[in-house]
């Protein structure tokens, strides 16, 4: 049986778009996570378990892992709510005060559901990792009120998407294989299973055969509300067809690092590191090859009929030779060049994944100023995709969780504030980097005052105790990140103005010194 024509057309267009990125994404996976499936792999015949043995350098693997964990922690920390919620429309201060407690309770319910689910294990395994090449996806479903919400990562080899109007995705699908028996467990007896598949399920010989499964959501453009046409197919038989209504109703969540106007797929920061990563792997291979020649060099000898070192020369052996016979060793390559080039390429790969520093170049430890300046530079580079990540990642995931909790009846669509019912939404947070730059600017101003007028002028105009409290609050909010104790000690000494030490940061999180 064939799929419905409209669905088949959408799938063909989505596969064509994915094919344009197949080489780049597969190269990324080969160098960054060689054991994962790639686009075009066959689920039954392709094995990647020994792919890592063919690589000579693991820099991109390390950078991709660190990039994934840093992104997840920066955008979705475990220890605090990811965003704040705010009313959709403007309200007066009285209603806002009455809204505070129920809004806090609602927020707690949402993040308790996230914390109690498998979100962090799934997001850390594939979702945040795939942001490196630009497009990450996962599903979020509720399989019963007695179970936590279930998240499941979608790799690029399963994902099919199509770009639509208004810069949004008009089609999101997941194509994968699983055993027929597992497919029945996934979608249950209530689905419209054809007789052939039911008969195969009853047969012990065929119930474990692999079937091709498809979950697809097609956007229905409606100015009144978000709507999707939801279809599930098994071996080209559509077994579920439904209309999903409401923000967060679509189970498939697709997040792009940076989007372009010509394709539905995103472009990630580590894709531009592929050329350097490939070069680094080749340089590592040549360095290893040259190192073997340096440790066990080739040599030339005069064939005098007596000396015969072809079988190898062991330690302590006595080798006879005729007088005048010579043995010359072949010149080896200069390994310093290979090590130098490897270092440059590694720095380039780390910079692409925002893992390049601050770094100690030479024997002098970096100062607190160097840490902060390089951290601010990294933050400015990270600000570019922040809006897209929050919109299609953080907020989209929370909207899906909200939708499922409302379906369960655990939270209401509207928040009660006195006698009023207020509709709320997640607030897109501003980048913390902006506050960090305010901290640095205020610090620079105080350092100029200290250098011009001396420590006494600063001590007379700055409240040291409040400044330290504000500095601590900035650290707690991760506006300032102190990566090692030496930097923290230097910064605090700068606040107190002790002579002989580098100036520190004396500023409030909002940017003004106390």
């Amino acid at each position: 049986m064939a799929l419905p024509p409209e669905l088949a057309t959408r799938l063909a267009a989505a596969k064509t778009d994915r094919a344009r990125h197949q080489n780049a994404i597969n190269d990324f996976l080969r160098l960054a996570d060689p054991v994962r499936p790639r686009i075009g792999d066959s689920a039954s015949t392709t094995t990647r378990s020994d792919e890592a043995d063919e690589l000579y350098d693991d820099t991109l693997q390390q950078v991709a892992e660190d990039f994934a964990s840093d992104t997840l922690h920066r955008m979705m920390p475990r220890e605090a709510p990811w965003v704040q919620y705010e009313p959709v429309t403007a309200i007066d201060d009285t209603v806002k005060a009455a809204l505070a407690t129920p809004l806090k309770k609602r927020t707690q319910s949402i993040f308790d559901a996230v914390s109690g689910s498998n979100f962090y294990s799934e997001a850390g395994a594939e979702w945040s990792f795939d942001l490196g090449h630009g497009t990450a996806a996962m599903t979020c479903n509720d399989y019963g009120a007695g179970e936590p919400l279930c998240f499941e990562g979608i790799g690029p080899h399963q994902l099919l998407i199509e770009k639509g109007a208004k810069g949004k995705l008009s089609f999101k699908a997941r194509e994968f294989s699983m055993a027929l028996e597992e497919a029945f467990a996934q979608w249950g007896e209530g689905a419209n299973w054809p007789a052939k598949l039911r008969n195969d399920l009853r047969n012990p010989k065929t119930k474990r055969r692999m079937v091709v499964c498809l979950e697809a959501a097609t956007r229905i453009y409606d100015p009144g509300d978000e709507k999707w046409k939801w279809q599930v197919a098994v071996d080209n038989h559509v077994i579920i067809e439904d209309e999903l209504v409401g923000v967060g109703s679509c189970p498939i969540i697709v997040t792009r690092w940076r989007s372009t106007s010509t394709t539905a797929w995103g472009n990630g920061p580590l894709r531009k590191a592929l050329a350097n990563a490939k070069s680094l792997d080749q340089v590592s291979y040549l360095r290893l090859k040259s190192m073997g020649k340096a440790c066990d060099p080739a040599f030339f000898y005069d064939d005098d009929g007596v000396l015969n070192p072809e079988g190898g020369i062991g330690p302590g052996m006595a080798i006879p030779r005729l007088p005048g016979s010579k043995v010359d060793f072949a010149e080896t390559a200069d390994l310093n060049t290979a090590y130098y080039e490897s270092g440059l390429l590694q720095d380039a790969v780390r910079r692409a994944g925002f893992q390049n520093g601050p770094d100690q170049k030479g024997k002098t430890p970096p100062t607190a100023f160097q840490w902060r300046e390089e951290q601010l530079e990294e933050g400015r580079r990270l600000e570019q995709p922040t809006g897209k990540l929050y919109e299609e990642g953080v907020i989209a995931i929370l909207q899906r969780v909200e939708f499922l909790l409302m379906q369960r009846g655990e939270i209401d669509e509207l928040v009660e504030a006195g006698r009023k019912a207020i509709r709320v939404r997640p607030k897109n947070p501003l980048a913390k980097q902006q506050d960090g730059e305010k901290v640095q600017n205020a610090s620079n101003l105080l350092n100029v005052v200290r250098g011009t007028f001396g420590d006494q002028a600063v001590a007379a105009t700055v409240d040291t105790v409040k400044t330290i409290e504000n500095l601590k609050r900035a650290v707690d909010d991760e506006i300032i990140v102190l990566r090692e104790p030496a930097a923290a000690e230097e910064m605090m000494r700068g606040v107190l103005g002790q002579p002989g030490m580098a100036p520190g940061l004396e500023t409030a999180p909002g940017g003004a010194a106390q």
Side-chain angles (χ1 to χ4, degrees):
M1 182 177 178
L3 292 172
E6 181 184 357
L7 180 58
T9 302
R10 292 263 189 184
L11 283 174
K15 289 180 178 180
T16 299
D17 193 11
R18 186 179 65 180
R20 297 165 58 189
H21 304 269
Q22 178 171 337
N23 290 339
I25 293 175
N26 283 353
D27 281 346
F28 170 81
L29 293 175
R30 179 178 66 86
L31 294 168
D33 194 357
V35 300
R36 280 185 63 188
R38 301 173 202 164
I39 300 174
D41 282 359
S42 170
S44 58
T45 59
T46 305
T47 303
R48 300 287 183 187
S49 58
D50 57 350
E51 289 277 328
D53 297 338
E54 300 178 5
L55 297 178
Y56 295 91
D57 184 85
D58 65 348
T59 300
L60 188 59
Q61 296 181 52
Q62 297 180 28
V63 171
E65 290 283 354
D66 292 340
F67 166 79
S69 61
D70 286 354
T71 302
L72 191 60
H73 175 72
R74 179 185 290 264
M75 308 295 290
M76 305 169 181
R78 291 175 181 265
E79 64 276 4
W82 307 341
V83 297
Q84 296 177 341
Y85 282 79
E86 64 178 0
V88 174
T89 57
I91 57 176
D92 57 45
D93 293 339
T94 304
V95 178
K96 187 179 295 184
L99 187 64
T101 300
L103 196 57
K104 182 179 180 181
K105 183 178 179 181
R106 177 190 179 92
T107 303
Q108 190 64 44
S109 299
I110 292 171
F111 284 98
D112 283 348
V114 174
S115 300
S117 71
N118 64 335
F119 170 77
Y120 284 102
S121 61
E122 284 295 311
E126 284 191 306
W127 182 85
S128 58
F129 188 93
D130 284 334
L131 288 174
H133 65 73
T135 307
M138 64 168 54
T139 62
C140 177
N141 290 291
D142 181 8
Y143 295 117
E147 299 183 20
L149 300 182
C150 180
F151 289 86
E152 189 175 357
I154 303 175
H157 64 293
Q158 297 178 342
L159 183 64
L160 293 166
I161 52 179
E162 188 178 12
K163 189 177 181 64
K166 304 175 183 178
K168 299 181 180 181
L169 297 178
S170 63
F171 181 75
K172 298 186 284 187
R174 174 193 182 202
E175 189 177 44
F176 58 102
S177 297
M178 66 191 311
L180 177 59
E181 187 177 28
E182 306 299 334
F184 266 83
Q186 177 87 5
W187 293 291
E189 287 289 337
N192 185 25
W193 295 97
K196 181 181 183 306
L197 293 180
R198 289 184 180 275
N199 293 333
D200 288 345
L201 181 66
R202 299 187 188 100
N203 189 338
K205 295 182 180 180
T206 57
K207 69 177 184 179
R208 296 301 300 176
R209 74 176 180 87
M210 302 300 291
V211 292
V212 178
C213 305
L214 175 70
E215 294 179 324
T218 306
R219 186 183 295 275
I220 301 174
Y221 291 100
D222 186 339
D225 206 345
E226 181 177 318
K227 292 183 180 180
W228 297 86
K229 182 179 181 180
W230 179 250
Q231 295 169 292
V232 177
V234 176
D235 274 358
N236 291 338
H237 296 274
V238 176
I239 62 171
I240 295 177
E241 195 164 37
D242 195 8
E243 184 175 295
L244 309 178
V245 181
V247 175
S249 58
C250 181
I252 301 176
I253 303 165
V254 179
T255 308
R256 294 170 292 175
W257 178 266
R258 181 167 58 87
S259 61
T260 56
S261 60
T262 57
T263 178
W265 288 77
N267 190 12
L270 291 178
R271 278 180 64 167
K272 60 177 175 284
L274 289 178
N276 288 326
K278 292 177 182 178
S279 299
L280 182 57
D281 189 67
Q282 184 67 15
V283 168
S284 297
Y285 164 72
L286 294 175
R287 186 182 66 211
L288 185 63
K289 186 177 179 181
S290 298
M291 190 176 296
K293 294 179 180 178
C295 296
D296 189 12
F299 58 89
F300 309 95
Y301 68 95
D302 294 335
D303 189 3
D304 57 10
V306 176
L307 177 65
N308 184 18
E310 292 182 357
I313 301 175
M317 290 181 63
I319 310 296
R321 68 176 184 180
L322 290 179
S325 297
K326 295 188 300 182
V327 176
D328 298 319
F329 287 92
E331 293 185 4
T332 58
D334 183 9
L335 291 176
N336 292 328
T337 302
Y339 277 106
Y340 179 74
E341 286 297 325
S342 296
L344 294 179
L345 291 170
Q346 286 174 340
D347 289 343
V349 173
R350 292 191 183 103
R351 177 173 171 78
F354 307 97
Q355 305 297 320
N356 58 314
D359 191 18
Q360 180 174 337
K361 300 176 178 66
K363 297 182 179 180
T364 304
T367 64
F369 272 154
Q370 180 183 345
W371 284 100
R372 280 297 296 150
E373 289 293 341
E374 294 191 23
Q375 184 188 26
L376 289 173
E377 179 187 359
E378 177 184 312
R380 281 191 291 268
R381 294 174 57 225
L382 275 170
E383 274 189 350
Q384 179 185 7
T386 297
K388 180 66 70 174
L389 285 180
Y390 272 113
E391 176 188 352
E392 296 186 351
V394 176
I395 293 180
I397 291 170
L398 292 179
Q399 287 174 339
R400 177 60 180 168
V401 173
E402 276 188 278
F403 178 85
L404 295 177
L405 292 183
M406 286 189 289
Q407 294 290 311
R408 284 186 175 186
E410 296 184 9
I411 62 173
D412 297 323
E413 183 177 358
L414 304 179
V415 180
E416 298 290 337
R419 297 183 177 180
K420 291 188 176 182
I422 309 296
R423 186 182 299 275
V424 297
R425 63 186 174 192
K427 180 181 179 181
N428 195 339
L430 298 175
K432 294 179 181 179
Q433 180 62 24
Q434 296 175 356
D435 288 336
E437 292 195 8
K438 292 179 181 179
V439 171
Q440 186 65 25
N441 291 338
S443 172
N444 292 340
L445 175 61
L446 287 173
N447 292 328
V448 171
V449 173
R450 172 177 288 141
T452 305
F453 301 105
D455 291 339
Q456 293 181 350
V458 176
T461 56
V462 176
D463 189 326
T464 305
V465 176
K466 288 185 177 180
T467 299
I468 293 176
E469 291 176 355
N470 289 328
L471 181 64
K472 182 179 182 300
R473 190 160 60 249
V475 173
D476 291 340
D477 293 340
E478 293 189 359
I479 295 171
I480 299 174
V481 179
L482 301 178
R483 297 176 183 263
E484 58 180 34
E489 182 180 355
E490 182 177 355
M491 187 174 292
M492 295 308 296
R493 287 182 178 178
V495 171
L496 298 176
Q498 293 184 11
M501 300 301 297
L505 299 176
E506 310 108 355
T507 179
Q514 296 294 323

